[in-house]
Amino acid sequence: MLAGRRLRPVDRGAASAAVRASSPGLLRLEVVAGEPEVLVIGGGFGGLHVVRALSKGPAHVTIVDRHNFHTFQPLLYQVATAGLEPADVAYPIRTIFGRRSNVGFRHGAVAQLDLEGRRATLLDGAVIAFDHVVVACGAAANFFGIEGAERYATPLYTLADARRLRDRLLLTLEDAEEQPGIPAKPVNVVIVGGGPTGIETAGAVTELLNVCLRRDHLRIDPASAKVILLDVAPRLLGGFPGSASDYAAKVLTRRGVDVRLEASVASVTSDAVILASGERIASSVVVWAAGVTATGTIAASVRGAGPSGRIAVAPDLSIPGHANAWAVGDAAAIPDGKGSTCPQLAPVAIQSGRHCGRQILRAIEGRDTEPFTYHDKGIMATIGRNAAVAKVPGAPLVKGRLGWLAWMSLHLFYLVGFRNRIRVFVNWTWRYFDWPSGPRLIMSDAETAD
Amino acid sequence: MLAGRRLRPVDRGAASAAVRASSPGLLRLEVVAGEPEVLVIGGGFGGLHVVRALSKGPAHVTIVDRHNFHTFQPLLYQVATAGLEPADVAYPIRTIFGRRSNVGFRHGAVAQLDLEGRRATLLDGAVIAFDHVVVACGAAANFFGIEGAERYATPLYTLADARRLRDRLLLTLEDAEEQPGIPAKPVNVVIVGGGPTGIETAGAVTELLNVCLRRDHLRIDPASAKVILLDVAPRLLGGFPGSASDYAAKVLTRRGVDVRLEASVASVTSDAVILASGERIASSVVVWAAGVTATGTIAASVRGAGPSGRIAVAPDLSIPGHANAWAVGDAAAIPDGKGSTCPQLAPVAIQSGRHCGRQILRAIEGRDTEPFTYHDKGIMATIGRNAAVAKVPGAPLVKGRLGWLAWMSLHLFYLVGFRNRIRVFVNWTWRYFDWPSGPRLIMSDAETAD
């Protein structure tokens, strides 16, 4: 059965000279003699763009990820608030590179990375030898050691986070309904962090509450359903101009969000967020949008870890002391040329990934590598329907409906996969004209119960 | 915040006379004085149609389900084989009845059903009093006591089943790839049961394997990837005419499925299905499509359980001995008027639900109830692209492309929610002309790993 496709001849032991020297006798598959082996760890924005840059060159690339899909992280908050489905923002990595014969995917996690021996051991015991390796494994939520935060707050960095948060929000709403014999519970959604993720989530949760109460007729007293946005700084959207901060605070407040500035979180419990001032804010769900760190096993195993556990890299993105090892995206502390490091943002991951791929090709060709320069094309954040802020360097701040349309166009453009673009576009259009009879599905109980 | 909606005045203790008499002092919400309370347990085809029939009448209905969504079961096999997304076949129950002020939804499971006292206690302790109750809680896979079947085989009755099966299939394919240092594993998908679910799944798994090997370039030897369909009977599709059975077997065989008839399963182990003949069929994934039973807590708590644990009902669908208790759909053993019971099929659930709703209205109005008659409008099953069989009573068998188009139209028509219809229609059209860059996402590892 399944005729029509044959395994390509396997050329065992024909790895490049460097690999053979360091890994004698290693079993190898589908290796074209002399073509250098590149291992890319992580299929996020950084890793994908490394592979894209490499896929046209004389290299064989293996991309390893714990998930068989790439996640479009900027829209995770819409999955968390039941606006989009998981499949709308996830795309199988195999499918992305399906037509490139020199790119392979491996589903698994790296247990051990041996930069000297140029080999990675996966959790299932498989060994992958390489000539070059790129660490593009991203980051994780930064809880800053705040007591109870990791246990009781939900971050919004992975698709699993988004699905968990959605279920928590919807279950909280179901549980809050008045029931015979059971007193009604208030709904308090507390969002910690007033950056783009925080304000996007605050706006979307408000819209979700409105839809659930108006469309789904949940018997919840609107006065007892609150969204509280906390930021430690004196203004929201720290990286934006002051007028953007004021606009975001004004729009969110008008839409019902309780914006609390200079609010420093001391601890999180099962039902409250405690501020440094001693104030106790009751919470049913806590969203952690306070920033990321990079303290994974792989980052830790690489010598010379930089700020927030990120891997320190040279200006060409190579890891100092290992000419054939590289790091990109959120996992890397990339010098910005001004004595600091680039922010952990999607555009930095995309640009550093592309640059890294090109440098590996230069190294393969024996040419000198070039330093990475981040081209800041601007930042944007959406607050909800018809409200977003966009700041392009050298141009005035764009806000309101125009900013919102710009935000939507850019996100559709960067979304991987034509079909996902169509689905998200149709979804957004639909929701603009009519609140959706959308996917407010609680899935977690479907995992356990029958 | 969230202005624009107010809680309707709560009229505590104003239940109908019958309820008040039996449940003195019970807290009650949003009850219109004198309007009988109907509790519907289960939001499947049966439950939904009970509520639809009741929602225009003088009754207040509460629908209880463990999931906050209705599942369109006939398309679960497409979710399991990564053709559709979970959200395409699931629809929030609140949204279905959002505009009906006399219908409420309660997310939860019934722990105890007291037919005499006319009240149900949910797992969370809430008590729901009723004048009428409808048991529409569906069924579960029937493993016939076969050793290892429940543990090692995956049924295909709930959305959780479909998601689990999808992850198992995709993970099996990922694990089967040849890897350095790890020997390749063969892929053997064994499907037990040659009814509509079995043949639909067999056809769809074959297509999934083809897509994964051709599009995703999984390095699996096509000769080592097999789909085996077992049926204990001498022919597939027992309920159809013989020519349909022959056609299904011919098409499946041509598409690479190993069809094994008169194969009785004795036991299932972690890596094989053992036949009564002693033959051992190696298996990586076992799909259980051998039938359903109704042995839930609720069915068991109702006296007079009928065949396969189903609840015996009178011709008018009431439960004998309890004039105000009813059962419909897969959970009920519905007399077919010829000395036997109606099959556990979606059309029976839909028709019996509608009939039951109408009988409750008649009972409320003090009129006599009418017996239920099942109108067999025909049966159909699809085998894959351009191949399906449809049998309408009194008409010749329709098969091939025409049957397939009929199958698709009917399923789109019955799918709940305009948006789901559009999504599924676009999806099917897309897949017809081009194998999809579709949603082959493994989600289970996204639940645990970060």
Side-chain angles (χ1 to χ4, degrees):
Chain A
M1 63 167 295
L2 301 175
R5 185 181 178 268
R6 294 183 159 276
L7 269 187
R8 278 169 285 174
V10 171
D11 185 357
R12 291 180 198 272
S16 70
V19 172
R20 259 182 294 139
S22 65
S23 326
L26 205 69
L27 256 181
R28 299 189 59 77
L29 286 161
E30 290 202 55
V31 172
V32 177
E35 215 171 57
E37 283 289 307
V38 182
L39 172 65
V40 177
I41 303 171
F45 282 123
L48 280 200
H49 283 84
V50 171
V51 181
R52 278 206 177 139
L54 281 171
S55 61
K56 291 160 204 154
H60 182 264
V61 187
T62 300
I63 184 162
V64 172
D65 201 292
R66 286 159 305 180
H67 304 307
N68 78 334
F69 51 83
H70 162 76
T71 306
F72 190 77
Q73 290 171 310
L75 291 179
L76 283 178
Y77 79 95
Q78 294 205 5
V79 175
T81 50
L84 292 176
E85 274 306 293
D88 296 335
V89 301
Y91 204 81
I93 296 172
R94 280 193 188 279
T95 313
I96 298 173
F97 299 110
R99 289 167 209 275
R100 298 279 165 81
S101 62
N102 65 329
V103 178
F105 172 72
R106 183 69 167 83
H107 182 245
V110 173
Q112 217 188 339
L113 180 60
D114 178 2
L115 295 186
E116 263 80 40
R118 291 188 182 171
R119 65 171 79 193
T121 309
L122 304 192
L123 274 181
D124 64 4
V127 177
I128 301 176
F130 54 77
D131 295 302
H132 287 268
V133 65
V134 183
V135 180
C137 55
N142 192 347
F143 295 104
F144 302 102
I146 292 170
E147 196 191 325
E150 186 163 6
R151 180 155 178 204
Y152 296 112
T154 308
L156 206 38
Y157 191 75
T158 67
L159 192 56
D161 291 338
R163 286 163 42 122
R164 209 175 293 130
L165 181 55
R166 177 204 286 208
D167 277 2
R168 280 193 193 177
L169 286 169
L170 294 177
L171 277 172
T172 300
L173 288 170
E174 288 290 345
D175 286 350
E177 245 202 349
E178 294 176 60
Q179 298 296 341
I182 298 187
K185 296 177 198 116
V187 175
N188 293 300
V189 181
V190 180
I191 294 148
V192 181
T197 303
I199 67 155
E200 282 168 353
T201 308
V205 169
T206 313
E207 292 177 358
L208 175 67
L209 290 182
N210 264 305
V211 174
C212 285
L213 269 61
R214 287 192 193 173
R215 268 290 173 92
D216 291 348
H217 298 299
L218 270 158
R219 291 190 306 265
I220 297 175
D221 181 358
S224 73
K226 287 186 190 123
V227 180
I228 303 120
L229 177 63
L230 306 178
D231 198 347
V232 66
R235 66 182 181 94
L236 299 174
L237 293 175
F240 286 73
S243 56
S245 309
D246 296 344
Y247 174 74
K250 196 180 74 186
V251 172
L252 286 174
T253 306
R254 198 196 305 139
R255 295 185 182 188
V257 176
D258 182 4
V259 179
R260 313 273 298 263
L261 300 171
E262 296 182 300
S264 175
V265 174
S267 64
V268 182
T269 71
S270 63
D271 62 354
V273 173
I274 317 292
L275 300 186
S277 66
E279 189 186 351
R280 183 182 177 283
I281 299 172
S283 61
S284 350
V285 179
V286 181
V287 184
W288 200 257
V292 294
T293 182
T295 48
T297 6
I298 300 167
S301 75
V302 176
R303 287 179 309 180
S308 346
R310 288 187 280 169
I311 298 167
V313 291
D316 67 352
L317 304 177
S318 65
I319 299 175
H322 302 279
N324 289 14
W326 315 75
V328 300
D330 285 0
I334 302 170
D336 67 355
K338 299 165 200 154
S340 185
T341 55
C342 293
Q344 285 163 296
L345 294 173
V348 176
I350 292 169
Q351 292 179 30
S352 64
R354 196 186 303 133
H355 183 85
C356 176
R358 288 176 185 159
Q359 301 321 300
I360 293 174
L361 288 182
R362 291 179 75 93
I364 288 170
E365 290 159 4
R367 297 160 66 194
D368 286 345
T369 57
E370 299 165 324
F372 170 68
T373 314
Y374 172 51
H375 296 286
D376 182 2
K377 291 178 185 162
I379 42 178
M380 58 200 334
T382 185
I383 310 160
R385 280 166 86 80
N386 294 325
V389 287
K391 180 76 189 85
V392 177
L397 181 77
V398 176
K399 59 191 182 185
R401 185 173 299 194
L402 190 61
W404 189 62
L405 290 172
W407 179 91
M408 288 203 295
S409 312
L410 199 81
H411 282 74
L412 278 177
F413 180 77
Y414 275 106
L415 197 60
V416 174
F418 180 66
R419 200 156 78 149
N420 284 17
R421 267 178 224 153
I422 296 290
R423 284 165 64 125
V424 171
F425 177 73
V426 169
N427 206 318
W428 285 350
T429 310
W430 188 294
R431 281 199 290 154
Y432 187 74
F433 294 106
D434 180 41
W435 286 112
S437 46
R440 292 187 289 283
L441 310 167
I442 300 173
M443 285 292 179
S444 62
D445 55 357
E447 296 297 322
T448 46
D450 280 301
Chain B
M1 61 165 297
L2 302 177
R5 183 181 181 272
R6 296 182 158 278
L7 269 187
R8 277 168 288 173
V10 171
D11 185 359
R12 291 180 196 274
S16 69
V19 172
R20 259 184 295 140
S22 65
S23 327
L26 204 70
L27 257 180
R28 300 190 56 80
L29 286 161
E30 289 199 56
V31 173
V32 177
E35 216 170 58
E37 284 290 306
V38 182
L39 172 64
V40 177
I41 303 171
F45 282 122
L48 281 199
H49 284 86
V50 171
V51 180
R52 278 208 177 136
L54 282 171
S55 62
K56 290 160 203 153
H60 182 265
V61 186
T62 300
I63 184 162
V64 173
D65 200 292
R66 287 158 305 180
H67 304 308
N68 78 333
F69 50 84
H70 163 76
T71 305
F72 189 78
Q73 291 170 311
L75 291 178
L76 283 178
Y77 79 95
Q78 294 205 3
V79 175
T81 49
L84 292 175
E85 274 306 295
D88 296 336
V89 302
Y91 204 81
I93 296 171
R94 280 192 187 282
T95 313
I96 298 173
F97 298 110
R99 290 166 208 273
R100 299 277 165 82
S101 61
N102 65 328
V103 178
F105 172 72
R106 182 70 167 82
H107 181 244
V110 173
Q112 218 187 337
L113 180 60
D114 177 2
L115 294 186
E116 263 80 40
R118 291 190 182 172
R119 64 171 78 193
T121 310
L122 304 193
L123 274 181
D124 63 4
V127 176
I128 302 175
F130 54 79
D131 295 302
H132 286 267
V133 65
V134 182
V135 180
C137 56
N142 192 346
F143 295 104
F144 302 101
I146 291 170
E147 196 190 326
E150 186 162 7
R151 181 154 177 206
Y152 297 112
T154 308
L156 205 39
Y157 192 75
T158 68
L159 193 55
D161 290 338
R163 286 163 41 120
R164 209 176 295 130
L165 182 55
R166 178 204 286 210
D167 277 3
R168 281 193 192 174
L169 285 169
L170 293 176
L171 277 172
T172 300
L173 286 171
E174 287 290 345
D175 287 351
E177 247 203 345
E178 294 176 59
Q179 299 294 340
I182 297 186
K185 298 179 197 113
V187 175
N188 294 302
V189 181
V190 179
I191 294 149
V192 181
T197 304
I199 68 156
E200 283 168 351
T201 307
V205 169
T206 313
E207 291 176 358
L208 176 67
L209 290 182
N210 265 304
V211 174
C212 286
L213 267 60
R214 289 192 190 170
R215 268 291 172 92
D216 291 349
H217 296 298
L218 271 158
R219 290 192 305 267
I220 297 174
D221 180 357
S224 73
K226 288 187 189 120
V227 180
I228 302 119
L229 177 63
L230 307 178
D231 199 348
V232 67
R235 65 181 182 97
L236 298 175
L237 293 174
F240 287 73
S243 57
S245 309
D246 296 344
Y247 174 74
K250 196 181 74 185
V251 171
L252 286 174
T253 306
R254 198 195 305 139
R255 294 184 182 188
V257 176
D258 182 4
V259 179
R260 313 273 298 262
L261 300 171
E262 298 182 298
S264 174
V265 174
S267 64
V268 183
T269 70
S270 63
D271 61 356
V273 173
I274 317 292
L275 300 186
S277 65
E279 189 186 352
R280 183 182 177 282
I281 298 173
S283 62
S284 352
V285 179
V286 181
V287 183
W288 199 258
V292 295
T293 180
T295 48
T297 6
I298 301 167
S301 76
V302 175
R303 287 179 308 181
S308 344
R310 289 187 280 169
I311 299 167
V313 291
D316 66 352
L317 304 177
S318 65
I319 299 175
H322 303 279
N324 289 13
W326 314 75
V328 301
D330 284 0
I334 302 171
D336 66 355
K338 298 167 205 154
S340 185
T341 56
C342 294
Q344 286 163 297
L345 294 173
V348 176
I350 292 169
Q351 292 179 30
S352 65
R354 195 186 303 133
H355 184 86
C356 176
R358 288 178 185 157
Q359 300 322 300
I360 293 175
L361 289 181
R362 291 179 76 94
I364 289 171
E365 291 160 4
R367 296 161 68 195
D368 285 344
T369 56
E370 298 165 326
F372 170 68
T373 315
Y374 171 50
H375 296 285
D376 183 2
K377 291 177 186 162
I379 43 178
M380 57 201 331
T382 184
I383 310 160
R385 283 165 85 78
N386 295 325
V389 285
K391 181 76 190 85
V392 178
L397 181 77
V398 176
K399 58 191 182 185
R401 186 173 297 194
L402 189 62
W404 190 62
L405 290 171
W407 180 92
M408 290 203 296
S409 312
L410 198 82
H411 282 75
L412 278 176
F413 179 77
Y414 275 106
L415 198 59
V416 174
F418 179 65
R419 201 156 77 147
N420 284 18
R421 267 176 225 155
I422 295 290
R423 284 165 64 125
V424 171
F425 177 72
V426 169
N427 206 318
W428 285 349
T429 310
W430 189 294
R431 281 199 289 153
Y432 187 75
F433 293 106
D434 179 42
W435 286 112
S437 43
R440 292 187 291 283
L441 310 167
I442 300 172
M443 285 293 180
S444 61
D445 54 357
E447 296 297 322
T448 47
D450 280 302

